[in-house]
Amino acid sequence: MNLPTSQPPLPDGHRRHDIDALRALAFLFVILYHVAMYYVADWPWHLKSPHAAEWLQWPMRVLNLWRMDLVFLISGVSLGFLARHQGTGALLRSRGARLMLPLVFGMMVIVPYQAYAQGVANGLVAPGFGAFLLRYLSMAEPWPKRAFDGAEFGMTWNHLWYLPYLFAYTALIALTLPLWKSPAGQWVRRRFNALRGWKLLLLPVLPLLAWTVLLAPHFPPTHNLVRDFYLHAIYLTVFLYGYWMGVDTGIWKELERLRRVSLVLAVVAIGTFIALRVGAGRSAPGLLMDLLRTLYMWLAIATILGHGHRHLNRPLPWLRWANESVYPWYVLHQTLIIVGVTVLAPLALGPVLEPALLVALTILGCWLLTDGLIRRVNWLRPLFGLKLRRRASAEALPPQSEPGWRSPSPRA
């Protein structure tokens, strides 16, 4: 039986509010996830709490199986919209400025305190942030082995690894744009967007399963841009799914229709995965565990996209603010978590009050720095992935406008 054809694309100028909202919520989860990394037992991170708990491992695993995959898929959707009106050169210039400038600035200004705190905690870096920063920026001499994550390179991007990965995938699509706009490329896009029913819930899993079986045993995740072959295969695949889905309407309506079914199947898949992992341990069949893991990943993403399209695709009051704040929050949050840890840990506040305060301080710090400084100072905006704010001419202003409290919301 032939697959149904995909629906007409969204008209120009139409904004997908659900994608904006899901992007903001996904990065909020990233903040909570990184706070939890300080407390989860036996998982390496820059600093570890004396209150580390083993029970956190399973909630973190359940979240970790889809959180960054969802982020890359949403980024692919955004590229699908941008690529309608920009060619290869324009995409490379615009995305390069929005991604690589914050990466360089972050590695030189935002991230160093994370490396310093980890190095001091490991006993391999002498206290004194000023001296550390001079040595870090000059890269004049090598660091002790394992002084901090990325010490072997002299400088590190830590949590900002998402930016070079995203730029690499964006550049790959941009450089092959004639292929994707060719009849063959459009045929592939239409075939994917025409998936319906069980085919939409199962067929996209197959490439993810193939990468997991073939690459995961040999290339564990490293966040090393050159050698991270397994994660590249997974992230690029879901990024491509998002790029294909971008402006289509039919596949989003189908995800919305299937949202309850995908939720039930996702719960069954992860429940079976946990039961087998706990009951059989490492003796559980590897292929079955890989299937359950990748099936759960896609079903969870499909559930989130379906419910998002149903409930979030409208101009929510907080969305304009969140859409412009999400990028600076992402750049700032992990360093603020480390600063919060160094402030709160000596107070010995315990395993309940301390994490609550750590979350609150991180969110408060992101808000104060973003709304109080970054969004207001025009030359800072590009360093945190925001477009320059251009003053409108007096003739263009409405007669009773209230300048200053509203600003255009750029696509991240």
Side-chain angles (χ1 to χ4, degrees):
M1 183 175 67
N2 292 329
L3 293 171
T5 58
S6 59
Q7 299 297 310
L10 289 170
D12 287 356
H14 182 88
R15 190 163 188 100
R16 285 290 303 276
H17 301 293
D18 55 325
I19 296 301
D20 290 336
L22 287 175
R23 181 192 299 112
L25 294 173
F27 278 104
L28 179 60
F29 270 114
V30 169
I31 294 177
L32 299 176
Y33 180 88
H34 284 152
V35 170
M37 282 295 293
Y38 176 57
Y39 293 100
V40 62
D42 300 327
W43 286 22
W45 202 58
H46 312 293
L47 301 175
K48 297 304 292 186
S49 171
H51 307 297
E54 290 188 7
W55 67 266
L56 269 174
Q57 291 181 5
W58 273 112
M60 293 283 282
R61 276 197 191 96
V62 169
L63 179 63
N64 201 36
L65 286 174
W66 55 260
R67 63 181 185 94
M68 288 308 300
D69 311 273
L70 174 65
V71 170
F72 278 108
L73 186 141
I74 290 173
S75 299
V77 172
S78 298
L79 183 65
F81 278 87
L82 291 172
R84 289 201 296 181
H85 306 295
Q86 295 185 28
T88 297
L91 281 175
L92 291 175
R93 287 192 299 271
S94 63
R95 294 296 90 187
R98 296 288 296 280
L99 296 172
M100 303 312 288
L101 183 58
L103 174 64
V104 173
F105 175 77
M107 291 175 65
M108 297 178 66
V109 178
I110 306 298
V111 167
Y113 187 78
Q114 299 178 40
Y116 167 74
Q118 184 179 7
V120 171
N122 291 340
L124 297 172
V125 170
F129 181 62
F132 171 86
L133 188 59
L134 288 175
R135 179 177 171 183
Y136 175 89
L137 294 177
S138 68
M139 301 180 68
E141 54 182 307
W143 295 101
K145 190 174 291 186
R146 298 181 182 175
F148 54 84
D149 293 346
E152 62 272 24
F153 303 106
M155 190 177 285
T156 181
W157 51 44
N158 275 357
H159 71 289
L160 300 180
W161 64 267
Y162 162 73
L163 300 180
Y165 278 52
L166 179 56
F167 180 70
Y169 306 154
T170 300
L172 182 61
I173 297 297
L175 291 171
T176 56
L177 209 54
L179 173 63
W180 299 114
K181 291 185 176 182
S182 69
Q186 290 300 309
W187 182 86
V188 172
R189 182 197 292 259
R190 287 195 301 270
R191 292 302 88 192
F192 182 84
N193 287 329
L195 294 176
R196 297 293 182 265
W198 67 267
K199 295 178 181 178
L200 179 57
L201 298 182
L202 295 182
L203 293 185
V205 176
L206 298 181
L208 304 173
L209 177 61
W211 303 137
T212 302
V213 171
L214 296 174
L215 298 178
H218 308 290
F219 303 101
T222 62
H223 296 158
N224 179 322
L225 183 64
V226 178
R227 296 191 294 271
D228 212 3
F229 297 111
Y230 166 58
L231 284 187
H232 280 318
I234 295 292
Y235 291 154
L236 180 57
T237 299
V238 294
F239 182 80
L240 194 57
Y241 289 172
Y243 171 72
W244 286 336
M245 294 164 63
V247 299
D248 192 76
T249 54
I251 195 169
W252 292 98
K253 292 178 181 177
E254 184 69 357
L255 287 168
E256 180 181 336
R257 186 182 74 85
L258 296 171
R259 68 190 186 278
R260 295 188 182 91
V261 175
S262 59
L263 174 60
V264 171
L265 293 176
V267 171
V268 171
I270 193 60
T272 306
F273 178 86
I274 294 173
L276 289 174
R277 184 71 174 267
V278 172
R282 297 197 176 275
S283 63
L287 181 59
L288 176 60
M289 300 299 284
D290 289 340
L291 173 61
L292 290 170
R293 185 167 58 200
T294 52
L295 183 62
Y296 165 70
M297 177 206 301
W298 176 248
L299 290 171
I301 291 173
T303 300
I304 293 167
L305 296 178
H307 280 279
H309 193 62
R310 173 69 175 179
H311 301 293
L312 299 175
N313 197 19
R314 60 185 189 274
L316 299 163
W318 51 269
L319 199 51
R320 181 185 295 271
W321 169 83
N323 200 41
E324 195 173 46
S325 300
V326 63
Y327 205 155
W329 281 45
Y330 163 69
V331 173
L332 292 168
H333 80 275
Q334 188 159 289
T335 295
L336 290 176
I337 292 172
I338 299 296
V339 171
V341 166
T342 61
V343 171
L344 294 175
L347 303 179
L349 298 175
V352 177
L353 180 59
E354 183 186 89
L357 285 176
L358 186 56
V359 171
L361 287 175
T362 303
I363 291 176
L364 178 63
C366 287
W367 175 68
L368 286 174
L369 288 171
T370 300
D371 282 47
L373 182 64
I374 295 166
R375 291 176 63 176
R376 295 173 182 268
V377 179
N378 213 24
W379 64 267
L380 280 176
R381 291 172 64 89
L383 301 178
F384 289 88
L386 303 181
K387 291 181 180 178
L388 288 171
R389 179 177 290 161
R390 293 180 172 84
R391 292 184 178 275
S393 65
E395 294 78 13
L397 291 173
Q400 295 183 340
S401 64
E402 298 180 50
W405 76 278
R406 287 181 188 243
S407 63
S409 165
R411 271 188 206 280

